[in-house]
């Protein structure tokens, strides 16, 4: 199985607004390690499939689901199972 | 005799149509996708039903097409609130595929090429309510809409009608799928507006 269609996703900046509702830091500047292939990528470089019941962010190298976000009326559901860690740049403590 | 206007023959106007709560009518066919569109060679395509005891039933593409097909015309209701009415499909009824499957399971976890899954009670797949569909409006089902073949379960929200369907596991206990494990309703009946958990 190979894949076609490379125009059906957006970059990780599409996560800025929805994740901004949950976190005060700019998570699109964070870098994380993919649980599928081990590659480190900044969130802004992820491939975000937004034409779906939720947001699905995939690794640009191996398509593993890094992050999923569903905004229900009374809660946000966040799944980070494809992320080994996330490093979030912050101002000096 | 007067001239019959075009509108006379058209389908029911939106005002006459009864939609599930919270839905709006659309004429086009929006493409929703949680990942890249897989391209699946028909020679390599397969559909499997694996029972709770591990028995595996398998159909190749050729074997699927050799089965008797049906041509349902159904309404589609997407949880993102669009509904599309009177869509024409061709495919094989799940009743046909289940004819020789012995199971006492009550649940199915459907899986697709790619990593998508969705869970459906087995009784919702039987009784003439679900198909493995491979044609849409007289044409081969396009890859963006789930081709070569997708599940079609039109009485539930469309995320249950898994695109690029590959098979299902029959389970004695319910196991949530891709969206059901992230806030969406386990069953997803559009007429009861079961969008999210707790609806
Ligand atoms: Zn990866």
């Amino acid at each position: 199985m190979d894949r076609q269609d490379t125009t059906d996703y957006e970059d990780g900046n599409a996560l800025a607004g929805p994740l901004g509702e949950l976190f005060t830091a700019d998570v699109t500047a964070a870098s994380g390690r993919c649980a599928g292939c081990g590659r480190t990528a900044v969130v802004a470089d992820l491939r975000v499939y937004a034409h779906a019941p939720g947001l699905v962010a995939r690794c640009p190298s191996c398509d593993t689901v890094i992050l999923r976000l569903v905004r229900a009326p009374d809660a946000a559901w966040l799944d980070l199972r494809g992320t080994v860690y996330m490093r979030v740049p912050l101002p000096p403590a | 005799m007067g001239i019959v206007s075009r509108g006379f023959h058209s389908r029911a106007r939106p005002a006459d149509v009864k939609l599930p709560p919270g839905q709006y009518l659309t004429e086009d066919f929006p493409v929703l996708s949680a990942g890249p569109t897989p391209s699946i060679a028909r020679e390599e395509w397969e559909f499997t039903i694996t029972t709770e005891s591990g028995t595996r039933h398998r159909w190749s593409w050729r074997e699927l097409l050799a089965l008797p097909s049906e041509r349902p015309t159904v309404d589609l209701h997407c949880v993102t609130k669009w509904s599309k009415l009177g869509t024409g499909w061709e495919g094989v009824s799940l009743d046909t595929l289940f004819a020789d499957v012995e199971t006492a399971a009550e649940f199915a976890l459907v899986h697709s090429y790619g990593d998508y899954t969705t869970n459906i009670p087995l009784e919702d797949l039987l009784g003439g309510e679900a198909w493995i569909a491979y044609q849409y409006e007289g044409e081969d089902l396009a890859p963006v809409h789930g081709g070569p073949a997708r599940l079609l379960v039109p009485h539930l929200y469309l995320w249950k009608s898994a695109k690029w369907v590959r098979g299902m596991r029959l389970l004695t206990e319910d196991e949530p799928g891709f969206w059901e494990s992230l806030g969406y309703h386990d069953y997803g009946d559009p007429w009861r507006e079961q969008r999210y958990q707790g609806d």
Side-chain angles (χ1 to χ4, degrees):
Chain A
M1 186 185 92
D2 48 41
R3 49 175 229 250
Q4 49 188 40
D5 264 292
T6 46
T7 55
D8 47 2
Y9 59 84
E10 301 159 41
D11 71 38
N13 291 303
L15 296 169
L19 286 178
E21 202 182 0
L22 278 67
F23 302 112
T24 52
D26 176 12
V27 180
T28 61
S31 51
R33 185 162 174 235
C34 171
C37 70
R39 183 179 182 269
T40 299
V42 292
V43 170
D45 287 339
L46 300 180
R47 295 180 172 177
V48 178
Y49 293 82
H51 300 288
L55 293 170
V56 180
R58 292 176 181 267
C59 172
S61 298
C62 75
D63 280 329
T64 290
V65 177
I66 300 291
L67 175 160
R68 301 188 295 156
L69 178 64
V70 166
R71 180 62 164 93
D74 60 352
W77 294 72
L78 179 63
D79 173 9
L80 290 165
R81 71 175 75 175
T83 316
V84 177
Y85 64 77
M86 205 172 269
R87 178 186 178 279
V88 185
L90 294 175
Chain B
M1 192 178 141
I3 296 163
V4 177
S5 76
R6 285 171 64 85
F8 187 81
H9 288 294
S10 70
R11 287 194 182 123
R13 284 161 295 155
D16 305 329
V17 167
K18 192 172 181 324
L19 291 175
Q23 297 293 109
Y24 68 86
L25 195 62
T26 184
E27 295 294 331
D28 58 3
F29 195 168
V31 173
L32 272 74
S33 190
T37 300
S39 136
I40 307 136
R42 282 162 172 73
E43 312 83 67
E44 289 165 29
W45 184 92
E46 65 172 11
F47 180 77
T48 60
I49 297 174
T50 306
T51 70
E52 69 276 25
S53 62
T55 305
R56 192 163 168 274
H57 302 259
R58 179 188 179 276
W59 293 266
S60 67
W61 184 254
R62 189 181 293 193
E63 288 165 338
L64 182 81
L65 293 195
L67 293 170
S69 68
E70 297 180 2
R71 292 185 177 179
T73 298
V74 300
D75 301 336
L76 306 178
H77 307 296
C78 179
V79 74
T80 62
K81 301 200 169 177
W82 57 265
S83 288
K84 183 172 175 60
L85 305 182
T87 60
W89 300 81
E90 180 171 351
V92 176
S93 168
L94 265 294
D95 294 311
T96 303
L97 294 167
F98 269 88
D100 296 323
V101 175
E102 279 192 37
T103 180
E106 289 178 37
F107 304 98
L109 186 63
V110 178
H111 55 95
S112 296
Y113 289 91
D115 49 18
Y116 187 76
T117 56
T118 188
N119 56 312
I120 303 175
L122 188 51
E123 67 171 4
D124 285 84
L125 294 173
L126 303 175
E129 290 192 291
W131 299 266
I132 302 298
Y134 47 75
Q135 289 229 326
Y136 172 69
E137 302 295 3
E139 310 259 2
D140 287 349
L141 183 58
V144 291
H145 288 303
R150 76 180 295 165
L151 182 63
L152 183 63
V153 196
H155 68 285
L156 301 176
Y157 280 124
L158 198 55
W159 90 74
K160 299 282 189 180
S161 293
K163 301 204 281 191
W164 315 302
V165 69
R166 181 175 199 165
M168 62 180 69
R169 282 195 296 131
L170 306 182
L171 305 169
T172 51
E173 284 183 41
D174 196 13
E175 194 177 305
F178 190 82
W179 293 119
E180 296 86 356
S181 62
L182 201 70
Y184 278 95
H185 198 277
D186 196 64
Y187 184 63
D189 180 351
W191 295 96
R192 287 186 277 169
E193 206 170 1
Q194 294 172 334
R195 298 180 196 276
Y196 299 99
Q197 287 183 25
D199 285 349

